[in-house]
Amino acid sequence: MAEIGQGVGARRQSSTRKAPRTWQHPTSSLVKGSIVYNVKYWGRVEVSQPSGAVTVKEAIDQLGACVQDAKQRGGKTPKVVLAVSYKGIRTADAKTKAVMHMHPLGKISYAGDDKTSKSVFAYIVREADSKNYCYAFKADGLAGQISLTVAQAFDVALKELNKTLGPDKGEMSKRMETAQNKVEVAATGGGGGSSQPPAAQPVAHSVAQPVALQQPAPALVPAPVAAPV
């Protein structure tokens, strides 16, 4: 499997405060709507660590092998819409628009993309069962842009949170700032610049079956879709 970027969990190399970054989307697109990407859902796998490039690489390798096995048996990888906003990451069935997953940014501890192939985006989230899961998506040519969009979403969310908390920043603000730094490092590779049939029911290190909600989900709010670089 191609090398994974430094990832959301990587620390900044310097404590020097950087100049404000010029992001790729208007802030309003992440606050009033979502940045949407048409991708393919590889699945999820339970991971032992909440962050780390090695953890993400191992998860992507496992999920990729499962997808290849499914294809050999005549399966197809589900097409989904991945929507990123300052509230979180949402995935929905591309055809029915039924929501499959909704993960608040505060629960996401790591996100990154395959820096070599630029085709796989993944993130780690802590779910209701208190376990960490890595979700992976095939996003040909767009994985890096999705990482940057998630980094921007964290930046916007942190600013909105600080507006609410004021000068007396709470623990949530500190956690969000830490996560935002990690995501930005992951998206930029540590430097500057802007830069299947459904799988089996999950157990440790296996792909989860995406389950759509029975009730139709609210329509995704249109927002600019990043174009391939």
Side-chain angles (χ1 to χ4, degrees), residues 85 110 186 189:
S85 75
Y110 200 97

Side-chain angles (χ1 to χ4, degrees), residues 127-147:
E127 301 210 74
D129 60 1
S130 297
K131 295 180 180 179
N132 297 303
Y133 293 91
C134 182
Y135 285 74
F137 304 84
K138 183 69 179 298
D140 292 330
L142 292 173
Q145 291 188 33
I146 298 175
S147 291

Side-chain angles (χ1 to χ4, degrees), residues 60-131:
I60 289 178
D61 285 347
Q62 292 170 23
L63 292 169
C66 291
V67 169
Q68 289 302 316
D69 180 65
K71 285 183 177 180
Q72 292 177 1
R73 293 184 281 107
K76 293 183 178 180
T77 308
K79 294 181 179 181
V80 301
V81 174
L82 183 73
V84 181
S85 75
Y86 84 114
K87 291 184 178 180
I89 299 177
R90 178 173 62 175
T91 55
D93 183 273
K95 184 177 181 179
T96 67
K97 299 301 185 291
V99 173
M100 298 163 61
H101 310 104
M102 176 59 204
H103 295 130
L105 289 186
K107 296 292 184 179
I108 296 174
S109 57
Y110 200 97
D113 60 276
D114 183 328
K115 295 300 183 185
T116 301
S117 71
K118 300 181 180 180
S119 65
V120 181
F121 167 74
Y123 65 89
I124 297 176
V125 62
R126 189 173 183 82
E127 301 210 74
D129 60 1
S130 297
K131 295 180 180 179

Side-chain angles (χ1 to χ4, degrees), residues 18 27 31 35 87 95 97 107 112 167 170 175 180 184 191 199 203 209 217:
K18 292 183 179 181
T27 298
V31 174
I35 307 299
K87 291 184 178 180
K95 184 177 181 179
K97 299 301 185 291
K107 296 292 184 179
R175 290 202 304 268
Q180 190 273 334
E184 186 174 338
V203 292
Q209 180 178 5

Side-chain angles (χ1 to χ4, degrees), residues 41-60:
Y41 177 52
W42 271 15
R44 75 170 187 176
V45 62
E46 184 183 346
V47 291
S48 59
Q49 300 297 323
S51 64
V54 173
T55 299
V56 171
K57 182 182 185 303
E58 291 177 348
I60 289 178

